[in-house]
């Protein structure tokens, strides 16, 4: 089955709302309508920028989706400093990244927490982008596949039926994030194929539908080769998404 690649820009904790508006305007200028023929694109600004970016996307009928980088699993309540999926849904957010390795490592997010967030996102009719990936130590000790398998099973455990098939999984080896070191296309393909086979054990028919992104130092030079792999359905892009021209070149990878 043909899966439409999804290219998502994770801005992390960068850009205030004025800078965010400038970036989406530049990005919209860089991208041509035909760039969206074969791929879906999403931008994931910090929470404080979402409303501004959403307003610009709506007003100028921009063709990319709006994404958040995280959310809480509960709909409302005494969770000082948190943002709920209901609030994001109300702001027309389409995608929410959950379980990014920075959140797992720096904010103690376990597979159980990630699973609860993924369910909350899907329940609010947005698409979770569930991140998984091994550390360098885990890769070097030959544990990469088992670590990623446990993350996939644990983080997707709450999703059933359509909620599972619509979910996006991002394979992001921790050692490739923000380092300039990219997984080789064949290593990335091997792990993404493994992830698909793990999803098959949860629900056979979901495996062909779930989109699996690769993330980790993706740029214009390596995007084409990575995304030509049969089990890689797009990219989660950090650093290169902060520059409109660079991100646009990743999005138009099929032209290169
Ligand atoms: C990320 O933030 O998910 C990421 C992959 O970052 P980078 O592209 O900078 O490695």
């Amino acid at each position: 089955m043909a899966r439409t690649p999804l290219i998502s820009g994770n801005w992390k904790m960068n850009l205030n709302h004025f800078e965010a508006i400038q970036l989406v305007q530049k990005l919209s200028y860089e991208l041509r309508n035909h760039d969206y023929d074969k791929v879906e694109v999403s931008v994931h600004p910090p929470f404080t920028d979402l409303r501004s970016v959403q307003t610009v996307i709506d007003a100028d009928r921009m063709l990319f989706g709006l994404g958040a980088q995280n959310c809480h699993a509960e709909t409302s309540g005494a969770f000082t400093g948190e943002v709920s999926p209901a609030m994001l849904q109300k702001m027309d957010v389409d995608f929410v990244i959950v379980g990014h390795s920075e959140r797992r490592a720096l904010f103690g997010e376990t597979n159980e927490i990630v699973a609860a967030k993924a369910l909350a996102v899907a329940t609010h009719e947005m698409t979770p982008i569930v991140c998984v990936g091994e550390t360098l130590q885990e890769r070097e000790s030959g544990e990469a596949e088992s670590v990623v398998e446990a993350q996939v099973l644990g983080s997707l455990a709450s999703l059933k039926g359509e909620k599972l098939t619509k979910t996006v999984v991002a394979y992001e080896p921790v050692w490739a994030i923000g380092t300039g070191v990219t997984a080789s296309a064949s290593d990335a393909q091997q792990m993404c194929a493994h992830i698909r086979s793990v999803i098959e054990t949860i629900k056979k028919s979901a495996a062909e539908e779930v989109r699996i992104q690769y993330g980790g130092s993706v740029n214009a030079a390596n995007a084409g080769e990575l995304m030509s792999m049969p089990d890689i359905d797009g990219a989660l892009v950090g650093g290169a998404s902060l520059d409109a021209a660079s991100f646009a070149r990743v999005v138009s990878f099929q032209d290169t």
Side-chain angles (χ1 to χ4, degrees), residues 46-48 50 68 70-76 79-89 91 93 96 117:
F47 286 134
T48 51
L50 280 174
N70 178 36
C71 69
H72 198 275
E74 296 296 330
T75 306
S76 64
F79 301 103
T80 301
E82 293 292 314
V83 171
S84 89
M87 294 167 184
L88 297 177
Q89 182 185 23
M91 227 186 310
V93 164
V96 185
K117 290 185 177 195

Side-chain angles (χ1 to χ4, degrees), residues 6-68:
L6 171 67
I7 318 249
S8 306
N10 173 19
W11 298 1
K12 311 196 188 198
M13 196 174 71
N14 293 294
L15 308 184
N16 62 41
H17 66 293
F18 294 114
E19 295 163 333
I21 291 170
Q22 281 183 355
L23 180 53
V24 285
Q25 283 173 333
K26 278 188 197 159
L27 183 60
S28 162
Y29 176 79
E30 293 280 345
L31 292 172
R32 296 285 158 264
N33 278 359
H34 79 263
D35 286 325
Y36 303 95
D37 289 349
K38 295 194 188 129
V39 297
E40 212 179 333
V41 181
S42 64
V43 292
H44 298 247
F47 286 134
T48 51
D49 302 353
L50 280 174
R51 179 69 173 138
S52 308
V53 172
Q54 181 236 343
T55 305
V56 177
I57 288 177
D58 272 9
D60 293 351
R61 295 196 173 81
M62 291 176 183
L63 295 173
F64 34 80
L66 183 62

Side-chain angles (χ1 to χ4, degrees), residues 10 12 100 102 172 176-179 215-218 236-240:
N10 173 19
K12 311 196 188 198
H100 190 280
E102 287 151 17
E172 298 208 302
I177 297 179
T179 57
S217 299
V218 172
L236 182 52
V237 186

Side-chain angles (χ1 to χ4, degrees), residues 70 98-115 117 129-134 147-148 150-156 169-170 172 174:
N70 178 36
V98 293
H100 190 280
S101 66
E102 287 151 17
R103 297 215 57 89
R104 289 178 187 263
L106 303 173
F107 302 97
E109 291 194 6
T110 59
N111 288 329
E112 291 69 30
I113 293 173
V114 176
K117 290 185 177 195
I129 299 179
V130 177
C131 300
V132 296
E134 81 286 357
V147 166
V148 169
Q151 287 177 335
V152 170
L153 291 172
S155 305
L156 302 183
V169 175
E172 298 208 302
V174 177

